[in-house]
Amino acid sequence: MNQYFLLIACLQLWSLITPVNPASTWGPLIFIFAVSASKEAWDDYNRYLSDKKANEKEVWVVRQGIKKHIQAQDIHVGNIVWLRENDEVPCDLVLIGTSDPQGLCYVETAALDGETDLKTRIIPSACMGIYFELLHKIKARFLWRNETKLGMSRGIPEPKLTAMDAMIDKLTGAIFVFQIVVVMVLGIAGNVWKDTEARKQWYVLYPDEGPWYELLVIPLRFELLCSIMIPISIKVSLDLVKSLYAKFIDWDFEMIDQETGIPSHATNTAISEDLGQVEYILTDKTGTLTENRMIFRRCCISGIFYGNETDVELLNAVSGGSPDVVRFLTVMAVCNTVIPVKSKTGAILYKAQSQDEDALVNAAARLHMVFVNKNANILEIRFNGSVIHYEVLETLEFTSDRKRMSVVVKDCQNGKIILLSKGADEAILPHAYAGQQTRTFIEAVDQYAQLGLRTLCLAWRELKEDEYQEWSLMFKEASSTLVDREWRIAEVCQRLEHDLEVLGVTAIEDRLQDGVPETIETLRKAGINFWMLTGDKQNTAIQIALSCNFISPEPKGQLLLIDGKTEDEVFRSLERVLLTMRITSSEPKDVAFVVDGWALEIALKHYRKAFTELAILSRTAICCRVTPSQKAQLVELLKSCDYRTLAIGDGGNDVRMIQQADIGVGISGREGLQAARAADYSIGRVSGTSLFNSVSLMAYNVFYTSVPVLVSVLDKDLSEGTVMQHPQILFYCQAGRLLNPSTFAGWFGRSLFHAIVVFLITIHAYAYEKSEMEELSMVALSGCIWLQAFVVALETNSFTIIQHLAIWGNLVAFYVINLIFSGIPSSGMYTIMFRLCRQPSYWITMFLIVAAGMGPVLALKYFRYTYRPSKINTLQQAERMGGPILSLGNIEPQSRAIEKEVSPLSITQPKNRNPVYEPLLSDSPNSTRRSFGPGTPFDFFQSQSRLSSSYSRNCKDN
Amino acid sequence: MEINTNGATTSSAAVGGGGGDSRFTQQELPACKPIVTPGLVITTFTIIGIIFIPMGLVSLSASEHVPKLMKSPVFIYYQLDSFYQNHRRYVKSRSDKQLRNKAAENETTTCDPEGRSQPDRAPIVPCGLIAWTLFNDTYGFSVRQKKIQVNKRNIAWDSDKGHKFGSNVFPKNFQTGGLIGGAQLDSSIPLSEQEDLIVWMRTAALPNFRKLYGRIEEDLQPNEEITVVIQNNYNTYSFGGRKELVLSTTSWIGGKNDFLGIAYITVGGLCLFFAVSFILLYVIKPRPLGDPSYLSWNKSPSGHPN
C-alpha cells in the first residue's frame, strides 16, 4: 500500500500528467509518513528501552579471580557468572559451584516450563570442592548453541495481524482493481475522444505528432485522479485509532486490580479491535480463573474428617497430642521446599515456590506446628511450646511425572530417620504398606475433588539406618549421572517410597477469581466458546469447571470423557464421544468433553481430523494435565479452522499459548510476569467484570471513529480541485467500521449515490453564467463536506462532546480554512468563498444537496432499523427506550454489550471460514452449529421467567 | 462495574499518568444517543417536505419565463456550447504570475504552446491558450432603429481587476503568430482594464457556459423587438459548437435557473412521500422498537450461522 502511494506521488511529479498541484499529494503524504514514522519511532524507542533494561542488567562475572560487574549483554561463552540468591539467570549456565556444602542449588524454571517449584541442581562431582579463588583457572569447554532452552520453548511468535487489517487489505485490493478498471475504461474512452473530438478543437492546439507515450498520458492522469479513492490517511488513521483503543484499555479504571493497583496494559496496539471478534477463549485455570491463592480447607487424618484450621475438633486433636495428627502436621510443616523468613516484626513469612506448600505450611503454623527456621539443613519446628530439630538428609523433588515429593529427615532428638511424602492420591496411595486401609482416603479424595478442592495425600515411613545409607549411595550416584538423570533419580526414589503409612489427605481450595462464573456465563451466552486448559487432575478440573459455570450440572449438561492409554483406546473413546456429540448436538444440552494430556497427545498425533471435528462441535472443553506445548497446539488447531482465539494465562507455561493465539491476554499475577510480557494485553488481575468491560469497551469504541474522518478530511481539503473533477468521496468507507464486504458494498453504493447527487446538483445549480471553475469546484466540495458531516452524524450512535466537536467542528473548520484561503490574493481561490457565502443560491444548493443526499439514506436506514433490525439495532433501541431488556437484572447489561460486539461476526464469519473444514460438518451441516442456539437462549430466558412467552416465540422461529 | 466513580477518579492521578480528562479516558463523557424512532423520522421528512415545496415554488417563480418588463440592468451573455474551457491542456495554459506582475513577463513555461511568439521567441503577454482564444464576436443592439448603449465596464470581478491582472501589464506580441486564435487586445490598455479578457479567463467548468458580454442599462419592454447585429468572428464550426446570445435580468437567486426550483419540489415531494408511506407502514405493520423477542440469537445461534 505504501508503494502504491509512493508511485502516485512520483507520478504527480510528472507535470505533463498531473491534474493537480503535486503539493496536494506530497503534502499529505509527507504529513502521513511523518505521523506514522513518529509512531513507529516511539514504539521502537520503548522497545529499545525495555531491551536495554534486559541487556544492561548488571551481572557479576569472575575474571582472573576478580568479581566484575558487567552488563548482561556482554556475557559470552566461557565466562564464569556469579549469581546471588534470587538473581535472575541471565543466560544458559552450567553450575560449577555453590555456597551449599552439598553443592546444591535451587532453580526456579517457571519462565521456561511454568513449573513454579524449585528444582535442585547439583554441581558435577568433578567440580566439588573447588574454591572460589581457583575458579578462574578452570578451563571449561562448553558446547554453545544458538537455540537456548528459553528460545526453544517459546516457539516463534508470528506477527499478529488483525482480521480488520486483513479485511482492509482485501478491500483496498478490491478498490485498487476497481480503480484500475475505471482507469482503463476512462483512459481508452479519453484517448478515443481525443482522437475523434479533441483534434477538432482548434483552441486546444493539439500537436499533430505526440511523443510515444502519448497513449499512456490520459490513463495515467485518470489514475492520479482516482488515487483519492484509496485515501492516503487510511492506514495511519486506523493505526491511530487502534492505539487510541489500546490507550483506552490502559486508562480504563475498571480494569485496574484493586489490590495491587496494577493497571491493564495493552502492548500490541494493533489488535484491539479483534477483541470483539473472539470465538474461542482458551484459558488457563490456575491463576486465571482462580486466584492461585491456595487456602487450606479440609483434611482427613486417619479416617477422621476435619475442617480447616479453625475447626475446634481439629484444634482439640492437636492440643490432645494425638500421634496421628502430630505426624500429619509434621509432614505438612516439613515435607516441602519452603524457606521461612523472619520479618522485622518477628512474624514468620514463608517463601514458597508452590502455592500449595505455602498453604500447607501456613495451615500447620496455625495449628501450632510452626516451621520457625531453616538453617542449612537443620529445620527448626516449634510445636506446642517445644522446639524440635530435624536434619534434612535428602529431598526427593517433585516432578510432574512422579507427582509426589518426599524428604528424608533425621529427628535430631532421637536420631530416627523418617521419610515424609506428599503427593497426588494416585502417586501415594498405591505405595501404602500392605494392609493399610486406604478406602477412607480414597473416599476423602473423591469427596474433596467433588468440592473442587485440590487434594494431597500425606504419608510417612520410618527408615532404618542401614536402609537409608544404602539408598543414599544409590541416590548420590543417580544424581551425578549424566545420562537420563531424571529418570534414574525417579527410579531410585521409587525404591524408597514404598510401604508408606498414609496419614491423611489435605484439601486446598484454589479460590475462584471474583465474578468468574458470571463472566463465563455471559461470554458463553455471547456465543464465545470456552476451553479450559489446566495441569490439574481431571476431577478437580471438572469441579472447577462446574463451579464457574463452565459446564452445566448433570441434567442439562453432559460430560464426555476421552481417555485411554493406547492409541486404540483413545481412538475408540474419541469416536464414541464424537458420535454422542453429533447426536446430542441437536438437543438443548450443554455438552462438554474432557480430555487428559495423554489422550490429547495421541489424539493430536494420530486422529487430528477427528479431534478437529470434535473441537468444532463442542462449545466447551476441559483439557487436564496438559503441557505448555499442548496448549499451544490446541490454539493452533483452532486457528487452523479460522476461528479467532483468545488465550488467557498467567503462568510462564502459558507463554506459548498466548503467543500462538490471535489475542493473548496475560495476567500479571502470582506466577510472575513472564506471561504478561509475552502477551498482548496484561491485566492486573482478571476479575470477571473487568474482562467483560474490555469487551464492552470495544463495542463502544467501535462507534468512536469520527476522529479518522477528521484526519481524512484534512487530507481532502488540500486537493479540492481533484474532488471537483472526480467527486467520488470514497473515503467514507474508511469510517466503515464493521468492515466486511457487504457493509463495504453498502458504503460504496452510498458514496456513489452521494457523488452523483453532489455532481448533478452542482452542475445544474451552477450552470451557464455561474459555471465558473473555482466556484463550481468549491460548491461541489462544500456539498461533499456537508454530506459527509451528516453521514457521520447519522452513523454515529452516541454523541459526546467529542463527536460533536469532530463532526460540526470539522464543518466549521472547512469554512474557516477556506475563508482564510479566500483572503489570500495570490491563492487561486481568492475571494471565492466570500462570494459563495454571500450568494443565497449557494446555501440553497447546500440545503438541497443535504436533503437529496440524506433523505433516501435516512429512509433506508429507518426502514432497516425498524423493520429489519440487526441485533445491535434492537439492543440499542431497547437500551435507549428503557425497554424490558434493561430490567433483566444484573447480568443483562453485560450480555447486551457483548452481543453488540459479537453480532458483526455473524456476517463475516461464514465468508472467512476455511472451506477445507466444511466437509467435516457435512453430516448435519445445519443442525450442528445451530443446535447450540436453543440451549443458549434457553438458559437465558429461563432465568427470566417472565419472558417465557418470548422464548416460545423463539422456538417457533427455529 | 464494581468500582464507584469516585474511587476511579481519585486513582486517576496515580494510574492514568497524564491520561488527561478522566471522563474522556474512561469514555464516560455524557453522551446523547439518538435512535431513529418512527416519530423522529416521519417528523423530519414531513418538515423537509413542507419547507422544500414552497421554497421550490418561490425559486421557480424567481426564474419565470413569461414575457414581462425587463428592468435595467439587463445582462447580455454570450453562450458557447460544446466548448471545453475545462480541457486540461487548455485550462492550464496560462501564467497567473505574468498576468499580475510586469516583472514576470518571461514566465511563460506553463503557457505552451502559446508562450512565445514564433520567430523571435519573445514572450507573449498575456500568454497561453486561454488568452489566445479570447472570444471576439461583437453585438450591436437596437430597438426600433434606436441604438441601445451596451456598457462593457465592470463586467469582471473586482477581485480579478484588483489583484489578478496587473495595472502595469500591457499586452505584448499578442496574436502575432501565424495562427490567430481570437480577439486582438489594445496594447495601450493595461490588462486590469481588459475586462473581456478577464471575464474570458475565468474559465468555465462545463462545456456549455455563458459569459457576461455587457449590460444594457435601460428597461426593455415586454414584446419589444430587439435587433441584434452580430459580427460572427469566433470559429465554432470546426468542433460543431454553438453560439447563443442571452439577455437576462438577475434575481435574488442569481440568474434564471429552473433547476433549483424543480429540484426542491422533487426532493420535497419525495420526503412527503416517504413520510406518508412510513406513516402508513407504521399503522399497517406496527413494530415496537427494542422488542427483545426480535433478538435473533436463536435464529442464527451464537453468531454462528453455517
Side-chain angles (χ1 to χ4, degrees):
Chain A
M1 200 139 119
N2 290 339
Q3 292 90 322
Y4 168 77
F5 288 125
L6 200 64
L7 181 76
I8 293 296
C10 289
L11 280 179
Q12 293 276 28
L13 286 181
W14 189 6
S15 64
L16 179 66
I17 59 166
T18 179
V20 290
N21 189 344
S24 67
T25 322
W26 280 95
L29 195 72
I30 288 167
F31 173 74
I32 296 298
F33 276 125
V35 168
S36 79
S38 43
K39 181 179 174 276
E40 291 292 315
W42 178 247
D43 283 358
D44 271 357
Y45 179 68
N46 282 337
R47 212 167 300 142
Y48 161 76
L49 280 188
S50 61
D51 281 357
K52 196 173 143 157
K53 214 164 136 194
N55 283 335
E56 292 186 354
K57 196 165 219 164
E58 302 271 280
V59 180
W60 289 101
V61 167
V62 183
R63 278 184 194 154
Q64 270 83 47
I66 308 151
K67 275 190 280 181
K68 264 194 203 160
H69 229 177
I70 63 164
Q71 293 180 347
Q73 58 189 349
D74 296 330
I75 299 175
H76 49 81
V77 181
N79 279 356
I80 294 162
V81 181
W82 180 271
L83 293 175
R84 284 163 306 173
E85 190 186 357
N86 290 337
D87 272 355
E88 197 174 307
V89 178
C91 56
D92 283 4
L93 298 174
V94 171
L95 186 70
I96 51 176
T98 72
S99 59
D100 186 277
Q102 287 182 314
L104 289 176
C105 117
Y106 301 94
V107 189
E108 196 206 72
T109 54
L112 292 174
D113 50 18
E115 290 178 22
T116 52
D117 55 323
L118 290 177
K119 306 243 172 0
T120 319
R121 292 286 175 269
I122 306 172
I123 58 174
S125 46
C127 300
M128 274 289 195
I130 296 178
Y131 295 104
F132 167 68
E133 289 74 28
L134 296 171
L135 278 180
H136 69 276
K137 291 190 179 152
I138 296 176
K139 278 196 184 148
R141 290 175 67 133
F142 297 113
L143 196 63
W144 183 73
R145 285 208 224 149
N146 199 12
E147 303 98 35
T148 62
K149 201 173 175 193
L150 188 67
M152 274 155 49
S153 112
R154 269 196 175 160
I156 306 148
E158 324 169 10
K160 295 184 182 184
L161 257 189
T162 66
M164 181 119 154
D165 278 340
M167 189 54 80
I168 283 177
D169 278 358
K170 259 189 229 160
L171 291 180
T172 317
I175 299 175
F176 184 68
V177 170
F178 174 75
Q179 188 183 322
I180 292 293
V181 170
V182 167
V183 165
M184 296 292 272
V185 169
L186 291 181
I188 290 167
N191 271 324
V192 169
W193 185 83
K194 188 178 102 179
D195 283 337
T196 55
E197 293 297 319
R199 297 245 182 244
K200 294 182 200 157
Q201 287 161 354
W202 57 270
Y203 53 89
V204 180
L205 276 187
Y206 260 117
D208 291 336
E209 276 304 311
W212 58 269
Y213 51 81
E214 208 189 348
L215 278 179
L216 276 178
V217 168
I218 289 180
L220 281 176
R221 250 176 228 160
F222 276 112
E223 171 62 35
L224 284 182
L225 282 176
C226 293
S227 68
I228 204 170
M229 281 184 182
I230 305 175
I232 290 177
S233 60
I234 185 163
K235 203 91 183 171
V236 170
S237 41
L238 282 173
D239 277 358
L240 283 177
V241 171
K242 282 175 192 166
S243 37
L244 200 66
Y245 284 169
K247 270 285 168 243
F248 272 127
I249 295 177
D250 279 8
W251 284 336
D252 196 8
F253 297 132
E254 290 186 2
M255 289 175 64
I256 294 172
D257 184 352
Q258 292 145 64
E259 273 174 40
T260 57
I262 303 172
S264 55
H265 178 62
T267 321
N268 187 336
T269 55
I271 59 171
S272 28
E273 76 272 6
D274 259 16
L275 269 181
Q277 307 199 349
V278 171
E279 292 149 276
Y280 276 88
I281 294 183
L282 293 102
T283 167
D284 178 36
K285 185 186 75 71
T286 312
T288 306
L289 296 177
T290 60
E291 287 184 344
N292 199 14
R293 185 182 342 186
M294 306 298 174
I295 296 168
F296 179 74
R297 280 291 175 213
R298 306 272 165 99
C299 61
C300 167
I301 305 170
S302 45
I304 306 161
F305 288 82
Y306 295 104
N308 63 0
E309 63 264 25
T310 54
D311 187 355
V312 185
E313 271 180 57
L314 182 57
L315 285 170
N316 286 341
V318 172
S319 51
S322 141
D324 275 344
V325 176
V326 174
R327 277 186 290 173
F328 184 81
L329 292 180
T330 312
V331 178
M332 269 170 78
V334 173
C335 178
N336 52 45
T337 52
V338 174
I339 299 155
V341 180
K342 267 215 174 82
S343 70
K344 281 170 196 152
T345 55
I348 296 163
L349 295 175
Y350 296 107
K351 281 172 75 180
Q353 291 305 330
S354 140
Q355 296 293 326
D356 294 277
E357 292 189 344
D358 186 55
L360 287 179
V361 175
N362 273 311
R366 277 191 293 268
L367 290 168
H368 311 298
M369 177 73 80
V370 189
F371 178 20
V372 185
N373 199 4
K374 184 176 191 175
N375 194 352
N377 284 335
I378 310 293
L379 305 180
E380 189 184 333
I381 307 284
R382 201 185 317 132
F383 178 64
N384 278 352
S386 57
V387 175
I388 311 161
H389 289 275
Y390 289 103
E391 188 191 347
V392 179
L393 299 174
E394 299 291 349
T395 303
L396 287 63
E397 305 168 32
F398 176 87
T399 64
S400 42
D401 293 328
R402 278 165 23 87
K403 291 176 188 157
R404 62 175 173 260
M405 69 98 50
S406 310
V407 287
V408 180
V409 293
K410 188 167 156 192
D411 190 333
C412 296
Q413 265 80 25
N414 49 24
K416 274 185 192 164
I417 295 172
I418 321 162
L419 173 78
L420 307 173
S421 297
K422 73 168 197 292
D425 49 319
E426 72 262 32
I428 295 283
L429 295 181
H431 301 288
Y433 68 89
Q436 186 179 21
Q437 287 298 320
T438 55
R439 205 162 45 88
T440 46
F441 296 117
I442 294 169
E443 277 168 17
V445 167
D446 282 349
Q447 193 186 332
Y448 293 148
Q450 293 282 320
L451 295 168
L453 301 173
R454 295 156 76 99
T455 55
L456 283 175
C457 288
L458 309 187
W460 92 341
R461 181 160 76 92
E462 274 191 43
L463 301 179
K464 294 194 181 68
E465 180 74 34
D466 49 347
E467 183 190 3
Y468 167 69
Q469 292 301 349
E470 194 184 321
W471 177 84
S472 174
L473 282 175
M474 286 196 293
F475 184 66
K476 283 229 169 62
E477 187 196 289
S479 306
S480 53
T481 47
L482 292 170
V483 192
D484 286 338
R485 186 171 53 214
E486 288 195 10
W487 182 81
R488 289 279 305 271
I489 291 177
E491 202 195 45
V492 173
C493 292
Q494 184 85 34
R495 293 193 189 179
L496 201 64
E497 293 163 332
H498 61 85
D499 291 337
L500 300 167
E501 180 184 352
V502 181
L503 298 169
V505 180
T506 61
I508 296 164
E509 184 189 23
D510 189 4
R511 272 189 50 195
L512 285 183
Q513 301 258 14
D514 290 342
V516 161
E518 293 81 6
T519 312
I520 291 180
E521 181 94 28
T522 23
L523 288 176
R524 273 164 47 96
K525 265 176 208 152
I528 295 175
N529 304 324
F530 251 90
W531 285 37
M532 183 168 90
L533 315 177
T534 173
D536 271 341
K537 60 177 286 166
Q538 194 166 305
N539 272 340
T540 316
I542 291 171
Q543 289 316 315
I544 294 281
L546 273 173
S547 63
C548 56
N549 281 339
F550 215 79
I551 46 178
S552 317
E554 248 325 309
K556 250 170 73 191
Q558 190 179 355
L559 270 181
L560 303 167
L561 228 65
I562 301 174
D563 49 12
K565 293 280 173 235
T566 64
E567 269 183 41
D568 265 2
E569 278 171 47
V570 172
F571 181 65
R572 255 179 277 131
S573 140
L574 190 64
E575 282 286 280
R576 203 176 53 238
V577 169
L578 210 50
L579 207 66
T580 339
M581 201 67 106
R582 286 195 195 119
I583 298 164
T584 51
S585 60
S586 51
E587 295 166 30
K589 235 181 181 184
D590 268 356
V591 184
F593 72 87
V594 182
V595 62
D596 67 4
W598 180 253
L600 185 67
E601 183 77 45
I602 295 171
L604 283 177
K605 215 180 209 162
H606 303 284
Y607 309 107
R608 209 179 160 86
K609 220 174 151 188
F611 190 75
T612 312
E613 187 186 348
L614 185 66
I616 295 169
L617 281 173
S618 69
R619 295 203 55 195
T620 316
I622 299 167
C623 307
C624 32
R625 296 274 187 242
V626 289
T627 62
S629 64
Q630 280 178 331
K631 288 183 181 182
Q633 278 173 23
L634 283 172
V635 174
E636 203 182 352
L637 184 83
L638 288 173
K639 267 176 83 181
S640 69
C641 314
D642 263 349
Y643 288 112
R644 299 250 123 208
T645 50
L646 180 145
I648 313 174
D650 67 331
N653 52 349
D654 304 318
V655 170
R656 276 194 71 172
M657 168 172 90
I658 286 170
Q659 283 181 337
Q660 188 70 243
D662 291 313
I663 299 165
V665 176
I667 297 164
S668 8
R670 279 159 211 281
E671 276 188 44
L673 289 165
Q674 184 74 22
R677 270 187 222 144
D680 306 299
Y681 295 96
S682 63
I683 299 173
R685 182 185 60 156
V686 77
S687 76
T689 34
S690 56
L691 172 67
F692 166 70
N693 262 316
S694 73
V695 182
S696 80
L697 182 94
M698 287 304 110
Y700 180 79
N701 261 332
V702 167
F703 303 115
Y704 194 88
T705 39
S706 31
V707 180
V709 176
L710 189 77
V711 179
S712 63
V713 165
L714 283 175
D715 169 39
K716 207 178 149 202
D717 278 355
L718 292 162
S719 49
E720 59 225 10
T722 328
V723 181
M724 187 266 126
Q725 292 162 59
H726 198 94
Q728 255 84 347
I729 34 181
L730 252 179
F731 64 83
Y732 285 153
C733 65
Q734 176 184 359
R737 47 289 301 211
L738 308 172
L739 260 184
N740 63 53
S742 67
T743 46
F744 176 73
W747 282 96
F748 189 84
R750 178 198 299 185
S751 48
L752 211 62
F753 167 70
H754 281 164
I756 291 166
V757 164
V758 169
F759 187 70
L760 286 184
I761 290 183
T762 310
I763 62 165
H764 283 107
Y766 275 72
Y768 303 121
E769 70 269 19
K770 285 193 284 191
S771 149
E772 199 276 317
M773 201 172 271
E774 300 277 355
E775 269 187 15
L776 193 131
S777 75
M778 188 51 71
V779 171
L781 181 64
S782 341
C784 293
I785 300 287
W786 275 91
L787 264 186
Q788 177 228 316
F790 276 88
V791 165
V792 175
L794 189 69
E795 289 299 319
T796 305
N797 289 302
S798 103
F799 289 90
T800 68
I801 183 96
I802 294 173
Q803 266 91 357
H804 282 301
L805 266 181
I807 297 171
W808 311 120
N810 179 29
L811 196 58
V812 171
F814 168 77
Y815 279 98
V816 170
I817 289 172
N818 280 301
L819 285 173
I820 290 171
F821 268 100
S822 298
I824 303 170
S826 59
S827 79
M829 45 181 291
Y830 181 53
T831 69
I832 297 287
M833 207 64 198
F834 299 128
R835 264 165 198 288
L836 286 177
C837 288
R838 278 202 302 269
Q839 290 171 6
S841 57
Y842 170 73
W843 298 107
I844 289 174
T845 310
M846 285 304 106
F847 203 28
L848 182 69
I849 286 175
V850 170
M854 294 314 291
V857 173
L858 179 65
L860 193 68
K861 178 169 167 141
Y862 167 74
F863 183 77
R864 284 178 41 181
Y865 199 82
T866 316
Y867 297 96
R868 305 260 182 287
S870 68
K871 287 176 222 168
I872 303 178
N873 298 150
T874 313
L875 291 162
Q876 281 168 347
Q877 291 161 4
E879 183 186 304
R880 319 267 158 80
M881 312 268 292
I885 204 151
L886 265 185
S887 54
L888 288 184
N890 282 340
I891 201 164
E892 178 40 39
Q894 304 185 348
S895 75
R896 180 175 60 236
I898 292 270
E899 191 56 37
K900 261 190 193 173
E901 260 302 282
V902 171
S903 45
L905 276 179
S906 55
I907 316 163
T908 21
Q909 253 185 13
K911 286 162 191 136
N912 286 345
R913 193 144 298 153
N914 194 339
V916 173
Y917 288 92
E918 287 295 326
L920 291 178
L921 296 167
S922 58
D923 305 329
S924 48
N926 290 320
S927 65
T928 45
R929 269 280 163 200
R930 192 170 293 174
S931 59
F932 302 124
T936 326
F938 186 69
D939 356 302
F940 181 77
F941 287 111
Q942 185 116 80
S943 53
Q944 286 88 34
S945 52
R946 58 199 196 81
L947 275 176
S948 52
S949 62
S950 52
Y951 164 61
S952 56
R953 209 186 309 176
N954 280 334
C955 285
K956 265 178 239 157
D957 286 351
N958 258 341
Chain B
M1 278 190 191
E2 314 153 309
I3 315 174
N4 62 24
T5 335
N6 289 338
T9 331
T10 45
S11 58
S12 75
V15 188
D21 183 50
S22 66
R23 278 164 74 84
F24 169 70
T25 58
Q26 295 311 295
Q27 300 163 47
E28 282 166 1
L29 288 171
C32 135
K33 300 179 176 178
I35 51 166
V36 282
T37 56
L40 194 74
V41 171
I42 291 168
T43 319
T44 312
F45 278 126
T46 315
I47 290 174
I48 293 177
I50 287 171
I51 294 174
F52 268 48
I53 291 178
M55 269 180 79
L57 292 174
V58 170
S59 308
L60 263 190
S61 70
S63 58
E64 233 178 339
H65 282 283
V66 277
K68 60 170 186 186
L69 174 82
M70 289 177 97
K71 277 245 183 228
S72 130
V74 176
F75 293 94
I76 307 164
Y77 296 99
Y78 55 89
Q79 177 173 339
L80 286 173
D81 285 358
S82 309
F83 188 97
Y84 288 84
Q85 249 199 330
N86 58 0
H87 193 289
R88 217 186 80 88
R89 193 176 155 82
Y90 183 85
V91 86
K92 286 168 70 82
S93 180
R94 62 188 288 163
S95 168
D96 281 334
K97 279 187 188 152
Q98 189 204 47
L99 295 175
R100 195 182 308 129
N101 191 349
K102 189 178 168 59
E105 84 174 19
N106 281 320
E107 299 217 9
T108 58
T109 44
T110 54
C111 290
D112 287 338
E114 278 298 315
R116 303 264 169 170
S117 63
Q118 227 19 277
D120 52 354
R121 310 285 305 149
I124 301 173
V125 182
C127 69
L129 285 173
I130 310 179
W132 179 67
T133 56
L134 177 59
F135 189 71
N136 60 355
D137 282 6
T138 58
Y139 307 114
F141 294 86
S142 55
V143 178
R144 279 167 274 135
Q145 269 72 50
K146 189 174 139 259
K147 205 157 192 265
I148 301 177
Q149 208 55 45
V150 174
N151 183 0
K152 291 193 60 104
R153 303 217 57 86
N154 291 327
I155 53 172
W157 296 4
D158 286 339
S159 62
D160 282 355
K161 288 196 281 179
H163 294 97
K164 294 216 133 178
F165 293 79
S167 53
N168 58 348
V169 184
F170 292 89
K172 233 186 191 174
N173 305 321
F174 192 65
Q175 305 286 28
T176 53
L179 271 171
I180 303 295
Q184 299 285 346
L185 290 176
D186 185 341
S187 56
S188 62
I189 302 172
L191 290 186
S192 61
E193 286 165 40
Q194 306 268 10
E195 296 203 37
D196 277 329
L197 176 75
I198 297 173
V199 168
W200 180 252
M201 290 197 70
R202 277 267 153 212
T203 47
L206 299 166
N208 302 348
F209 59 90
R210 289 173 192 167
K211 290 202 175 289
L212 194 55
Y213 178 82
R215 273 189 308 269
I216 297 176
E217 281 166 337
E218 56 192 79
D219 296 350
L220 295 177
Q221 301 305 316
N223 302 318
E224 203 169 34
E225 199 165 280
I226 301 167
T227 315
V228 185
V229 181
I230 299 173
Q231 204 173 20
N232 186 8
N233 297 327
Y234 206 65
N235 176 10
T236 54
Y237 302 108
S238 74
F239 56 89
R242 269 155 40 98
K243 287 189 277 196
E244 282 162 58
L245 178 66
V246 179
L247 294 185
S248 169
T249 52
T250 189
S251 69
W252 62 272
I253 203 164
K256 303 272 179 208
N257 191 341
D258 295 345
F259 171 76
L260 280 177
I262 294 168
Y264 262 78
I265 292 170
T266 316
V267 171
L270 201 67
C271 288
L272 278 185
F273 167 75
F274 278 138
V276 170
S277 48
F278 282 146
I279 291 170
L280 285 179
L281 205 58
Y282 187 67
V283 171
I284 295 166
K285 200 185 163 200
R287 176 158 176 162
L289 285 178
D291 185 343
S293 66
Y294 288 108
L295 289 177
S296 51
W297 41 55
N298 60 335
K299 288 174 199 160
S300 55
S302 340
H304 288 291
N306 251 319

